[in-house]
Amino acid sequence: MRKTTFIVAISLLTAFAFPRSPLCSNAFAEVTPQQTVTSPSAKETAAPADNESAVYQHSKTTEGEHFKLTVSWDDPVAGQPLTLHCVGNGGTSNYKFYLRTPKYTDPSLGWEYVCDPTKSKYTNAADFYDFEFTPMATGTYELRIDCMNMDGSGFDPISVTVVLSINDSAYPSVSSRVQNAVSQCNRETDGSDYQKAVWLHDWLLDQLEYDNTFIYSSAESALCRGTGTCQAYMAAYQRLLDAAGIENREVRDEGDYHTWSAIKIDGEWCQVDCTWNDTDYSWQSIDMRHFYFGLTDELMATAHPNFPDVYNQDGYETPSKSLKNGYYVRSGEAVIWADAYVDRIQSHLDKGETVFSIATDNPTWPDSYKGIYNGYVAYELNQRTWSNEKETATLNVEAQGDALVCTATYHAKEEIKPGWNTVNGCLEYRDASGTRLVNRWLFDSGYWFYFDENGFALKGLHVIANKGYFFKSNCRMATGWVKDAEGFWHYAEASGSLAKGWRKLGNSWYWLSPSTYQMITGWLHDGNAWYWLESSGAMKTGWILDNGKWYYLGASGAMKTGWLSLGGYWYWLESSGAMATGWRYIGSSWYYLQPSSGRMATGWLKLNGTWYYLSPSSGAMATGWQKINGTWYYFNSSGAMH
């Protein structure tokens, strides 16, 4: 069942123009704000502004050299349009206003644009303008409004930035939605990267529909508004994979105006296009909802002819050479497709032929469809063991147009002896009768080994009977700390099973992912709290600095929000956990947090030549008549002393 698509107004009238554009053309919009030139004398008044906007709960003014801009708004409510009332003063009534694309963040999500930044433009000239924006997720939104006065003396724009904090359990944050999805994924899969990647792919496609207006292009829009372009699909899938501990990268094919994901499963990169997979269409009884899952670079290029310009460049980070994690390989369907060609190939091998071609059975299919389908067939044929009466054969099959081109190399049949054998570079073990050990443990010479369904000793990380184990390059089971080929650390208990969840080792707490068994670093959301794990993996307490912002972690390691009393000082921590500085409207009062320390100011405060008074007991900014130390003072609605 499809989730209802939320189409939420970003602006009114001409504030945003959204012309139609080619599919996904906004995916490569510049992701930094456009440059503006602000008068050297411009300044922001962070406290409440003048009585022109008294009907609103909040107001903020920037004064330029020739005019000023005031933006007023009420407390935001998730899911409801918020009006931003913009007024120009000091020049003529010939003002143009510009709402930059809103940005969003939460504690574990860097800032992202909710929409395509190229869609914004200045309004027609007026003395005021009302923009609308609907916040849809718990977290922080940042909206910047620029203004130009067109009277000839003040073309240089000035701006006001509005920051909205949302905390509504009915509208979870992007990170919360991601964590909930990953938690469900971990419960409903076997914990392997492949199963999780497919589950998250399918879950995501159930959440949204493609945005044919080409406006929405973010994880926020995909997960909280139910719509988005290819950029939104990719961004949301990226968040899900990151939270699940699956390495991934964005792949941008500017020649085809498209973007998708590259993911690493069991040490191998593969290509996944969630956008093109979001369909209920079937072709020749093939489930097309997974047609672009787990492809190689070359097979993805059959659908995107300009993609070779990307993956053939020096420094390309995600070379996808193997189809072993292709959806139809894992599902077993590709085996059935390949079976149709076995007898024809065998007839050539029986004759000892070294090079031959087999015509494919789908010459009338669209090139991209048959290219991927035949690529699967060739892969499966290459995995099989071939022989004739006298020799074994190594067969290489390549799909070329409407043919399978086969090259065979023949070898004398080898004698297999009991005990350890090396076959094609892999270790196997046969008992006294010559039977290969399959799906079994073996304890030999003081070490444990495990043999897979093909009888080969495992290497790397594997899940056996719902427990994770790590096998070294010599196939021996590991214990203690061990680093995998991608550089991630794991901890193997004395039994060999990999630890997961919280684990105290020495004097420090560590968190090992229940799904990947990887030691986690950075931000971690567990239960209802956020934690910070250092580069060593050890849980941190106290103050930390991350991306230029301070956060405070209690004795349990849980991140604090709201008011914090520490060392005789008060601090305000946003819903994101970031320590606030400057003016903040909290509850029903304004407070000032020192920019250098975050400490709440009390008593007299002088800013930009203006005096304010903050309650010595609560820190709340005073307004109206106040008697201080026996003398009466008057403070206007912005808190400024008159």
Side-chain angles (χ1 to χ4, degrees):
M1 181 179 295
R2 294 291 188 191
K3 179 181 176 184
T4 301
T5 299
F6 295 99
I7 302 298
V8 184
I10 296 297
S11 60
L12 294 178
L13 301 177
T14 61
F16 278 80
F18 298 127
R20 298 186 65 82
S21 55
L23 178 64
C24 296
S25 63
N26 62 0
F28 311 108
E30 182 63 40
V31 294
T32 55
Q34 300 175 28
Q35 295 294 316
T36 59
V37 181
T38 304
S39 168
S41 62
K43 62 181 180 179
E44 284 193 356
T45 304
D50 54 45
N51 60 10
E52 293 177 354
S53 305
V55 295
Y56 293 92
Q57 293 171 305
H58 311 289
S59 187
K60 195 173 183 180
T61 298
T62 293
E63 296 183 10
E65 183 177 356
H66 303 287
F67 64 100
K68 67 179 181 179
L69 167 65
T70 298
V71 178
S72 306
W73 68 97
D74 290 327
D75 287 333
V77 178
Q80 297 184 18
L82 175 71
T83 298
L84 299 168
H85 181 64
C86 308
V87 178
N89 278 308
T92 67
S93 61
N94 197 21
Y95 300 96
K96 288 189 175 183
F97 303 92
Y98 179 103
L99 174 61
R100 294 187 178 276
T101 303
K103 296 194 294 184
Y104 169 82
T105 191
D106 63 31
S108 67
L109 178 72
W111 285 102
E112 67 167 1
Y113 287 101
V114 175
C115 308
D116 175 6
T118 67
K119 302 298 185 182
S120 306
K121 72 174 186 177
Y122 276 98
T123 67
N124 294 328
D127 55 357
F128 75 93
Y129 199 90
D130 287 343
F131 293 101
E132 274 191 358
F133 175 70
T134 303
M136 292 296 292
T138 291
T140 303
Y141 289 90
E142 182 179 286
L143 296 86
R144 173 176 163 178
I145 298 93
D146 293 349
C147 180
M148 289 193 301
N149 186 223
M150 309 304 291
D151 64 0
S153 62
F155 283 2
D156 289 346
I158 58 176
S159 64
V160 164
T161 298
V162 175
V163 177
L164 307 176
S165 292
I166 302 295
N167 190 358
D168 188 335
S169 60
Y171 292 84
S173 67
V174 167
S175 293
S176 178
R177 293 175 189 268
V178 166
Q179 289 294 336
N180 288 338
V182 171
S183 295
Q184 183 182 354
C185 172
N186 291 337
R187 294 192 301 270
E188 297 181 5
T189 64
D190 63 7
S192 67
D193 283 352
Y194 176 80
Q195 289 293 332
K196 290 188 297 180
V198 173
W199 191 99
L200 294 170
H201 166 278
D202 294 352
W203 178 88
L204 177 63
L205 268 54
D206 286 339
Q207 308 306 308
L208 73 159
E209 299 286 352
Y210 187 80
D211 177 19
N212 289 304
T213 66
F214 311 114
I215 297 172
Y216 294 102
S217 57
S218 61
E220 189 266 10
S221 66
L223 298 175
C224 305
R225 302 174 192 269
T227 190
T229 62
C230 62
Q231 185 75 23
Y233 281 81
M234 185 286 305
Y237 195 42
Q238 183 179 59
R239 307 297 179 192
L240 292 164
L241 294 172
D242 285 345
I246 299 174
E247 188 175 357
N248 67 97
R249 298 282 191 280
E250 177 182 3
V251 179
R252 290 193 173 201
D253 179 3
E254 300 193 30
D256 291 314
Y257 303 103
H258 194 42
T259 185
W260 59 85
S261 301
I263 65 177
K264 183 178 280 189
I265 300 174
D266 299 332
E268 298 278 357
W269 286 105
C270 61
Q271 305 288 309
V272 178
D273 189 340
C274 291
T275 311
W276 279 37
N277 280 340
D278 194 8
T279 179
D280 295 325
Y281 177 66
S282 293
W283 173 264
Q284 301 292 325
S285 300
I286 300 172
D287 168 23
M288 300 297 288
R289 204 174 191 228
H290 299 95
F291 202 64
Y292 303 96
F293 189 101
L295 299 184
T296 63
D297 292 330
E298 289 187 357
L299 290 189
M300 185 62 83
T302 65
H304 299 292
N306 290 297
F307 185 40
D309 294 339
V310 177
Y311 67 75
N312 286 325
Q313 288 184 359
D314 292 338
Y316 177 60
E317 294 184 339
T318 59
S320 304
K321 305 297 185 182
S322 174
L323 198 56
K324 72 177 184 180
N325 290 308
Y327 181 82
Y328 305 110
V329 168
R330 290 286 198 138
S331 71
E333 292 169 83
V335 172
I336 300 172
W337 302 346
D339 283 345
Y341 298 92
V342 170
D343 290 344
R344 281 174 274 180
I345 291 175
Q346 187 64 53
S347 66
H348 289 275
L349 297 178
D350 289 342
K351 298 174 185 177
E353 296 180 18
T354 56
V355 179
F356 52 92
S357 294
I358 305 293
T360 60
D361 298 334
N362 54 3
T364 62
W365 287 18
D367 287 344
S368 61
Y369 287 8
K370 69 181 178 183
I372 292 175
Y373 181 96
N374 293 341
Y376 271 106
V377 169
Y379 174 84
E380 284 295 344
L381 293 172
N382 284 326
Q383 308 312 306
R384 303 195 178 197
T385 300
W386 300 92
S387 65
N388 54 32
E389 286 187 0
K390 298 179 180 180
E391 298 170 304
T392 60
T394 301
L395 186 66
N396 179 62
V397 182
E398 293 184 7
Q400 298 181 10
D402 295 328
L404 299 174
V405 179
C406 306
T407 303
T409 304
Y410 297 92
H411 314 274
K413 291 184 177 180
E414 297 178 1
E415 179 183 356
I416 300 297
K417 63 183 185 299
W420 289 101
N421 292 285
T422 300
V423 179
N424 295 329
C426 299
L427 284 176
E428 67 165 21
Y429 190 91
R430 294 181 181 253
D431 61 21
S433 67
T435 302
R436 175 186 291 172
L437 299 189
V438 174
N439 292 327
R440 281 185 53 187
W441 286 97
L442 171 68
F443 188 73
D444 184 64
S445 302
Y447 298 98
W448 284 99
F449 303 82
Y450 191 85
F451 300 89
D452 63 16
E453 66 275 9
N454 297 312
F456 296 124
L458 297 180
K459 296 179 183 179
L461 193 154
H462 294 271
V463 177
I464 303 169
N466 296 319
K467 292 183 178 180
Y469 296 87
F470 191 90
F471 300 89
K472 299 179 181 180
S473 58
N474 58 9
C475 300
R476 295 172 179 173
M477 184 191 75
T479 59
W481 284 109
V482 61
K483 183 188 286 188
D484 63 25
E486 285 74 45
F488 293 103
W489 285 96
H490 308 265
Y491 185 79
E493 309 285 3
S495 66
S497 63
L498 296 177
K500 56 185 180 180
W502 288 107
R503 184 76 163 79
K504 190 172 185 180
L505 300 169
N507 295 321
S508 298
W509 283 95
Y510 299 81
W511 201 83
L512 293 306
S513 169
S515 56
T516 66
Y517 307 99
Q518 294 170 357
M519 182 192 77
I520 302 301
T521 61
W523 285 109
L524 166 71
H525 189 261
D526 183 44
N528 295 317
W530 287 94
Y531 300 82
W532 176 261
L533 303 164
E534 298 184 287
S535 58
S536 66
M539 185 190 75
K540 178 72 174 171
T541 60
W543 288 106
I544 65 162
L545 181 64
D546 180 46
N547 288 329
K549 295 183 179 181
W550 286 97
Y551 301 81
Y552 188 80
L553 310 166
S556 69
M559 182 190 77
K560 299 292 186 180
T561 60
W563 285 111
L564 172 68
S565 177
L566 192 66
Y569 297 98
W570 284 95
Y571 303 81
W572 174 255
L573 306 174
E574 308 281 14
S575 60
S576 66
M579 183 188 76
T581 59
W583 288 105
R584 285 295 185 276
Y585 190 75
I586 305 168
S588 58
S589 301
W590 284 91
Y591 298 82
Y592 188 78
L593 294 310
Q594 298 289 356
S596 59
S597 66
R599 295 171 178 173
M600 183 188 74
T602 59
W604 286 104
L605 174 68
K606 188 176 184 180
L607 294 175
N608 299 322
T610 300
W611 284 98
Y612 301 84
Y613 189 75
L614 309 170
S615 169
S617 59
S618 70
M621 184 191 74
T623 59
W625 285 104
Q626 302 287 332
K627 189 175 184 179
I628 304 170
N629 295 329
T631 303
W632 285 95
Y633 299 86
Y634 181 76
F635 303 89
N636 67 11
S637 60
S638 70
M641 185 188 74
H642 278 254

